Amino acid sequence: MLDPSEQDPLNVTLTPPSVSRRDLLGAAATSALLPWASSVQAAPPAVELEGVELPETTTAYGQKLVLNGAGVRKRGYFKADVTALYLPEKRTTPDAIYKLNGIRRIQLNILREFTSSTITRIFLADFKQSATEEEFKRLIGPIGQIGAAYANVKRVSKGDVVNLDWVPGVGWMATHNGKSLTGDGGNTLSINDELAFQVYLRMYIGQNAPEDLRNGLLGLTRLPRAGD
């Protein structure tokens, strides 16, 4: 029986002080953990290659894209970058990706330093290998624009991110660490020639692309989860 001094004016029996303190301490502990729990739940799922975390979804030019796949691109014995392919919907064949409507993104997560001259030389060699002779001649203009844009970059370093996007109605766009690449005259790069971008995609998922890179980008290779 509680002492009358421990009853409230409305004649409702109060909880013993020891119980109240225990409940309050439990509630406080739970509240303290809530921000931490929310942040864990809110963290987007990601995969990880060569220490590079790739979110499974991203937003480009207002459109949500999903990670179709990723792989490591090599130059000789060296690992050049972690390449990721983001699409509006997942696809597992090159033809389906070429025909897909909406934004398509090739993301290069740089693993070592390259000068602009090396970048340009690699690009030209790969592009020429991926295009037919007729296509290469037809695309001399866009190829020159890309070469000029790469020349303006000067160099890329480990940790840099280069996004190369096809944006319907606008064209082929590119950014380096979030900053738009510019061509001749300092104008933002925008090449409204879908064939040029499709040839570029062939460099990564076409028949001449390295098999391990192609399979990774097509989602045919299981990717390690970040934190595993």
Side-chain angles (χ1 to χ4, degrees), residues 68-70 91-92 214-222:
N68 197 72
R91 293 290 188 270
T92 57
R214 180 175 63 248
N215 288 342
L217 294 174
L218 293 177
L220 304 179
T221 303
R222 185 180 179 277

Side-chain angles (χ1 to χ4, degrees), residues 14-27:
L14 297 177
T15 306
S18 60
V19 175
S20 297
R21 283 195 296 270
R22 183 169 62 249
D23 291 346
L24 287 172
L25 287 172

Side-chain angles (χ1 to χ4, degrees), residues 132-155:
T132 65
E133 185 176 347
E134 181 180 345
E135 287 172 339
F136 191 80
K137 289 179 180 178
R138 173 188 160 183
L139 296 171
I140 285 297
I143 292 169
Q145 288 178 270
I146 289 290
Y150 281 160
N152 287 336
V153 172
K154 304 303 180 188
R155 71 179 62 246

